[in-house]
Amino acid sequence: MSIYDYKVTLENGDSYSLDKYKGHPMIIVNTATKCGFAPQFEQLEAIYKKYQDQGLIILGFPSDQFHQELADGQAAAAACRTQWGVTFPMHQMIKVNGSDADPLFKYLKGEAFGMLGGAIKWNFTKFLVDGEGNVVERVAPKTNPDKMIPAIEKVLAQ
């Protein structure tokens, strides 16, 4: 399987295949609006605005697995827009760890192990995917998204 075989659901309930983003580099991130790392939304949005015309897509996936998210994906997306100015696509609430983890995140974890092996350590684990669908980097929650810019520019230049 490739990343393009996965379907995801936007916060409004509309589902789509990641095949929609073939040829586009992506940052896929699990988010939580009540997390201490939530200011990263501003940095992710700045990166999105700077590079979206070059094809970069950022996809946010709210998760309450670490007990730092609102009641549902719609509430989380609304908070992201009003509090942090997020314009990139936000999705329905998912789980990122365990047997009932979202299939996309199972795939991402299998492609790029982290400090805890396959598990997601915390909110704001970021995965950089190149335009061919390869997971090229897994970035720790505490790492500022701006530190990803050299890798983002490299995949955009491919």
Side-chain angles (χ1 to χ4, degrees):
M1 281 192 80
S2 85
I3 198 160
Y4 301 123
D5 294 318
Y6 291 92
K7 289 190 177 187
V8 294
T9 305
L10 291 167
E11 96 261 358
N12 67 4
D14 291 344
S15 294
Y16 67 94
S17 171
L18 288 178
D19 181 65
K20 167 181 180 174
Y21 297 125
K22 246 184 196 174
H24 293 269
M26 295 180 272
I27 296 172
I28 300 172
V29 56
N30 67 304
T31 65
T33 55
K34 298 189 294 182
C35 177
F37 295 136
Q40 289 187 23
F41 279 121
E42 287 180 337
Q43 297 152 8
L44 289 164
E45 180 63 20
I47 289 168
Y48 183 59
K49 284 183 176 172
K50 181 175 182 178
Y51 295 105
Q52 76 181 77
D53 288 344
Q54 295 174 54
L56 180 69
I57 305 294
I58 297 180
L59 303 175
F61 290 86
S63 177
D64 192 36
Q65 198 134 32
F66 304 107
H67 312 292
Q68 295 186 315
E69 189 50 278
L70 299 172
D72 58 44
Q74 285 185 310
C80 290
R81 287 188 190 93
T82 58
Q83 194 169 359
W84 305 105
V86 167
T87 61
F88 54 81
M90 292 297 294
H91 296 78
Q92 284 192 344
M93 191 91 68
I94 62 161
K95 291 190 176 180
V96 295
N97 289 323
S99 60
D100 55 350
D102 184 85
L104 172 61
F105 275 80
K106 286 182 180 180
Y107 174 80
L108 292 168
K109 293 183 302 183
E111 293 294 303
F113 281 49
M115 293 281 294
L116 300 176
I120 299 283
K121 180 179 178 181
W122 202 250
N123 304 306
F124 290 91
T125 298
K126 298 161 284 291
F127 294 89
L128 178 62
V129 179
D130 68 16
E132 296 178 6
N134 302 304
V135 179
V136 295
E137 187 173 37
R138 177 179 175 154
V139 179
K142 68 180 180 177
T143 301
N144 185 314
D146 291 342
K147 302 276 186 202
M148 299 176 68
I149 289 175
I152 292 166
E153 291 179 345
K154 184 177 179 181
V155 298
L156 286 168
Q158 292 177 338

